[in-house]
């Protein structure tokens, strides 16, 4: 499997992100959907990766810079046919490695409270994320779970 920075211009990734947004809107009320659309994911403060095997898209994930020491996990998605095969774990590890390399001290995320999000919450917990309060402009929401984890600094200031 290859995990690559994605320019967000291919039809496969557009379809996967459309599926992601459609599902978020099916599960959660509109005010509780925090997933970004394609245009927002192209912003300068977001780096977007996709996972591929033999030309087949398996999943995606994004890292949003909140400030010089804090990043946010966004748009984690694995295609239905590839779920349970470690794609999400590999993508999350890639994001964590990048956050570490950037010198972030903290990585946070928002995900749903509904049963459909239980596998995602379990994945994040396995990677050391713990519940926290809202961050970066989020507000308390019965449909949101906020999680965070500390990262050790990859470099020091001179």
């Amino acid at each position: 499997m290859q995990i690559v920075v994605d320019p967000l211009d291919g039809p496969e990734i557009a379809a996967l992100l459309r599926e992601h947004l459609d599902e978020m809107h099916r599960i959660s009320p509109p005010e509780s959907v925090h997933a970004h659309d394609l245009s927002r994911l192209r912003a300068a403060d977001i780096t977007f990766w996709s996972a591929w095997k033999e030309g087949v898209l398996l999943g995606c994930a994004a890292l949003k810079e909140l400030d010089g020491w804090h990043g946010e996990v966004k748009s984690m998605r694995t295609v239905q046919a590839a779920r349970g095969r470690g794609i999400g774990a590999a993508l999350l590890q890639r994001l964590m490695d990048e956050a570490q390399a950037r010198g972030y001290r903290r990585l946070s995320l928002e995900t749903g409270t509904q049963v459909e999000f239980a596998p995602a919450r379990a994945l994040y917990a396995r990677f050391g994320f713990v519940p926290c309060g809202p961050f970066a402009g989020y507000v308390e929401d019965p449909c949101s779970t906020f999680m965070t984890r500390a990262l050790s600094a990859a470099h020091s200031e001179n």
Side-chain angles (χ1 to χ4, degrees), residues 63-110:
L63 178 60
K64 179 179 179 181
E65 181 169 298
L66 299 176
D67 60 40
W69 62 270
H70 192 184
E72 180 181 3
V73 175
K74 297 294 293 182
S75 300
M76 286 280 298
R77 182 77 176 188
T78 301
V79 299
Q80 188 68 39
R83 291 191 181 159
R85 296 185 3 210
I87 309 304
L91 284 160
L92 185 55
Q93 186 62 60
R94 178 67 186 92
L95 264 64
M96 289 176 61
D97 290 347
E98 179 65 22
Q100 187 90 19
R102 291 181 185 184
Y104 293 171
R105 293 186 208 116
R106 180 156 301 282
L107 197 54
S108 302
L109 61 93
E110 180 277 338

Side-chain angles (χ1 to χ4, degrees), residues 20-150:
H20 181 61
L21 280 171
D22 288 349
E23 185 174 26
M24 297 305 101
H25 283 282
R26 181 182 60 75
I27 295 169
S28 301
E31 66 275 9
S32 298
V33 174
H34 303 290
H36 290 331
D37 64 15
L38 198 56
S39 63
R40 178 61 184 99
L41 289 168
R42 289 185 177 121
D45 62 341
I46 295 177
T47 305
F48 189 91
W49 288 269
S50 54
W52 300 81
K53 185 170 185 179
E54 299 173 359
V56 176
L57 178 63
L58 301 175
C60 63
L63 178 60
K64 179 179 179 181
E65 181 169 298
L66 299 176
D67 60 40
W69 62 270
H70 192 184
E72 180 181 3
V73 175
K74 297 294 293 182
S75 300
M76 286 280 298
R77 182 77 176 188
T78 301
V79 299
Q80 188 68 39
R83 291 191 181 159
R85 296 185 3 210
I87 309 304
L91 284 160
L92 185 55
Q93 186 62 60
R94 178 67 186 92
L95 264 64
M96 289 176 61
D97 290 347
E98 179 65 22
Q100 187 90 19
R102 291 181 185 184
Y104 293 171
R105 293 186 208 116
R106 180 156 301 282
L107 197 54
S108 302
L109 61 93
E110 180 277 338
T111 191
T113 57
Q114 300 90 329
V115 68
E116 292 91 343
F117 296 100
R121 292 190 305 269
L123 172 68
Y124 300 135
R126 276 198 339 261
F127 275 78
F129 286 83
V130 296
C132 66
F135 62 93
Y138 288 106
V139 296
E140 286 290 346
D141 181 333
C143 295
S144 288
T145 296
F146 302 100
M147 301 179 83
T148 193
R149 69 157 287 161

